[in-house]
Amino acid sequence: MKINGIHYRSVWLADDGHTIEIFDQTKLPFEVQIIQLQTMQDVATAIKEMWVRGAPLIGAVAAYGMALAMRQSSNDENLQHAYDTLIKTRPTAINLKWALDRLYQALENVEYSLREAIAYRIANEIADEDVELCRKIGEHGLNIIQKYAAHKPAGEPVNILTHCNAGWLATVDWGTALAPIYMAHDAGINVHVWVDETRPRNQGGLTSFELGSHGVPHTLIADNAGGHLMQHGKVDLCIVGTDRTTARGDVCNKIGTYLKALAAKANQVPFYVALPSPTLDFTVWDGVKEIPIEERAGEEQSHVYGINPEGTRSWVNTAPQGTTCGNYAFDVTPAEFISGLITERGVCEASAEGLQMLFPDLCKQQP
Ligand code: MRU
C-alpha cells in the first residue's frame, strides 16, 4: 500500500527490532499517525479500541502481542496471561484465535530462553503470509472482474459495491475484497467502487482513503443506498470481506453486509466474499446460531467522529441525550446468498462441498 507515494504495511517492526508500529486507524482518514506498541497490553488496547482492525490485521498484530509478552517475561504464566488477555479483545474475527493458537502451540513446549525469538519469527511469518494470501486473492478476484469488464460497453466502468473496509488497512497489505479491485485498476480495467459508509464506525472512510491513495475511482454512499443502486442497474457485482467463514460457507462480516446480500439476491447482482484461509472456522456450521457477535459501546452509535472546516477533529453527538443505543458490530450472511468465495486457492461455491474441495487439509475439524 502507498501513502503519499511511500510503501507501507499496516503493521511492521520498528528499527529496534522489537517495537511494533501501526497506523492509528481511529485517526484516519483525517490524520496519518504512526504509533508504537511496546507491550502486550499496548497491543490488547490497540485491538480493543480499534486502532487496528480488520480480521487478518487483528490476527497479525495479536501475534506480535505474544512476541512482546515473551520479551517482557517468557515464563508459562505470562504465556497463558498474554493468550487470555489478547483472546478477549474482540470476539468475532476468528483470525485472532487462529494466530494466538499458532503462537501458543509453538511456544508451550519450548524452553523459556528461546521463546521471544521464536515468537517474533512466527509473528513475522504470519505477517508475510498474509501479504501473500491477499495477493493471491487479488489474482483470483481479478479474473472475476475481467469477466464483467468484457461485457461492459466501451467507456463504462465495472461498478463494484463494497461494505466496510476490507483493504490493506484491514490486512497487512493488499486487502481481501479490495485486492482484486487494485489489481483490476492496475491492469487498466475501468473500475468504479460504491463505498458503503459503514456506520457506526465509518470504515467506508478508510476504504475511500485507500482507494483515493491508489487512484481508484469511487463514490462514498450512505449505507442505505445500495439497494436503490442495484434496482437501477448501477452495481455489477458486490465484493466484501469476512471475519469468520463457517464450514458450510456462511460468512460473518461487518453489520449491514447481510442486508446488502439480500438486496443483491433480489436484484440478481452477484455477491462475492473474499477471504484468506485463516478466516475459515470449520468448527462452526450455522453462522447465525453459532458465531458470537460483538456488541460495542452505545456511544459509537450516538456519536460520529469528524473534522470541521477549521481542521478540529471531534466526536459529535447525533442522538438525543440518554438515548439507548444498540451497537451490533457484525452480522451473518448465509451461504445461499453468496455467489462465490474468493480465496488464495481459487474461487469456490459457498458450501461445504466447495470449501472441502479447495481446503481438504483444513476441513478435518468439520462438525
Ligand atoms: O470492526 P472491524 O472494522 O474490525 O470489521 C472489519 C470487517 O468487518 C472486515 O470486512 C473484515 O474484517 C474483513 S477484512 C479483510
Side-chain angles (χ1 to χ4, degrees):
M1 72 202 207
K2 279 195 174 157
I3 300 177
N4 297 329
I6 301 171
H7 182 264
Y8 291 94
R9 285 183 172 187
S10 300
V11 59
W12 64 96
L13 277 183
D15 290 343
D16 65 13
H18 53 81
T19 301
I20 310 309
E21 295 191 328
I22 56 164
F23 293 104
D24 179 352
Q25 297 195 25
T26 63
K27 301 274 180 1
L28 288 170
F30 309 113
E31 185 186 344
V32 178
Q33 188 183 327
I34 293 170
I35 47 179
Q36 297 198 325
L37 309 175
Q38 309 272 7
T39 65
M40 182 276 293
Q41 200 54 53
D42 287 349
V43 168
T45 304
I47 297 173
K48 210 177 170 59
E49 300 300 326
M50 293 175 68
W51 303 347
V52 287
R53 26 71 47 205
L57 184 59
I58 290 170
V61 174
Y64 282 118
M66 292 291 273
L68 284 170
M70 292 302 92
R71 185 174 165 74
Q72 290 166 273
S73 165
S74 60
N75 62 28
D76 286 347
E77 201 187 357
N78 202 41
L79 176 63
Q80 191 62 52
H81 172 64
Y83 184 97
D84 293 345
T85 304
L86 291 166
I87 196 83
K88 282 195 215 121
T89 51
R90 295 194 71 188
T92 302
I94 195 64
N95 309 56
L96 176 63
K97 182 173 186 305
W98 171 85
L100 292 176
D101 284 351
R102 183 158 158 186
L103 266 293
Y104 191 93
Q105 283 157 19
L107 298 175
E108 63 179 335
N109 296 318
V110 163
E111 69 178 77
Y112 295 174
S113 63
L114 301 176
R115 283 181 173 174
E116 180 188 337
I118 293 175
Y120 272 102
R121 177 175 55 73
I122 296 175
N124 287 334
E125 277 170 18
I126 287 176
D128 290 346
E129 282 167 21
D130 184 63
V131 177
E132 189 54 13
L133 296 180
C134 289
R135 195 187 61 73
K136 288 182 176 155
I137 287 170
E139 286 178 354
H140 295 299
L142 169 62
N143 293 335
I144 294 173
I145 297 176
Q146 268 165 341
K147 242 178 41 203
Y148 290 94
H151 295 103
K152 293 298 281 191
E156 271 192 32
V158 179
N159 286 297
I160 304 170
L161 183 140
T162 193
H163 190 71
C164 194
N165 170 262
W168 43 253
L169 284 166
T171 62
V172 179
D173 204 350
W174 283 109
T176 56
L178 296 193
I181 294 171
Y182 290 129
M183 289 196 185
H185 175 80
D186 293 348
I189 296 173
N190 187 2
V191 282
H192 165 262
V193 185
W194 297 111
V195 179
D196 282 351
E197 179 186 28
T198 317
R199 282 281 294 142
R201 291 291 300 225
N202 289 353
Q203 285 91 338
L206 301 176
T207 297
S208 299
F209 172 76
E210 280 193 25
L211 293 171
S213 303
H214 202 94
V216 181
H218 60 282
T219 305
L220 182 66
I221 53 173
D223 290 323
N224 298 326
H228 162 75
L229 293 170
M230 291 183 208
Q231 281 177 326
H232 290 270
K234 293 186 173 168
V235 182
D236 294 301
L237 70 158
C238 303
I239 313 181
V240 300
T242 166
D243 286 75
R244 202 188 287 218
T245 307
T246 77
R248 71 171 183 196
D250 297 347
V251 304
C252 184
N253 191 48
K254 182 52 54 194
I255 192 77
T257 302
Y258 172 49
L259 286 176
K260 292 297 133 70
L262 286 176
K265 183 104 175 168
N267 290 283
Q268 293 90 47
V269 172
F271 191 90
Y272 287 95
V273 181
L275 60 126
S277 53
T279 306
L280 291 165
D281 185 354
F282 283 104
T283 68
V284 170
W285 180 256
D286 180 334
V288 175
K289 288 202 184 118
E290 298 174 60
I291 297 178
I293 300 295
E294 178 179 15
E295 290 183 42
R296 296 185 62 86
E299 286 73 26
E300 292 183 356
Q301 177 57 42
S302 58
H303 290 64
V304 281
Y305 185 70
I307 187 165
N308 70 16
E310 285 74 48
T312 308
R313 291 175 286 272
S314 63
W315 287 93
V316 177
N317 193 358
T318 61
Q321 281 295 334
T323 302
T324 302
C325 296
N327 186 2
Y328 304 92
F330 298 94
D331 61 24
V332 172
T333 300
E336 64 190 286
F337 295 98
I338 299 166
S339 311
L341 300 174
I342 308 170
T343 79
E344 75 268 18
R345 294 192 191 172
V347 181
C348 71
E349 188 183 83
S351 67
E353 297 71 32
L355 284 168
Q356 277 161 19
M357 209 127 75
L358 278 190
F359 298 99
D361 48 331
L362 302 181
C363 69
K364 290 186 192 108
Q365 312 156 293
Q366 191 185 337

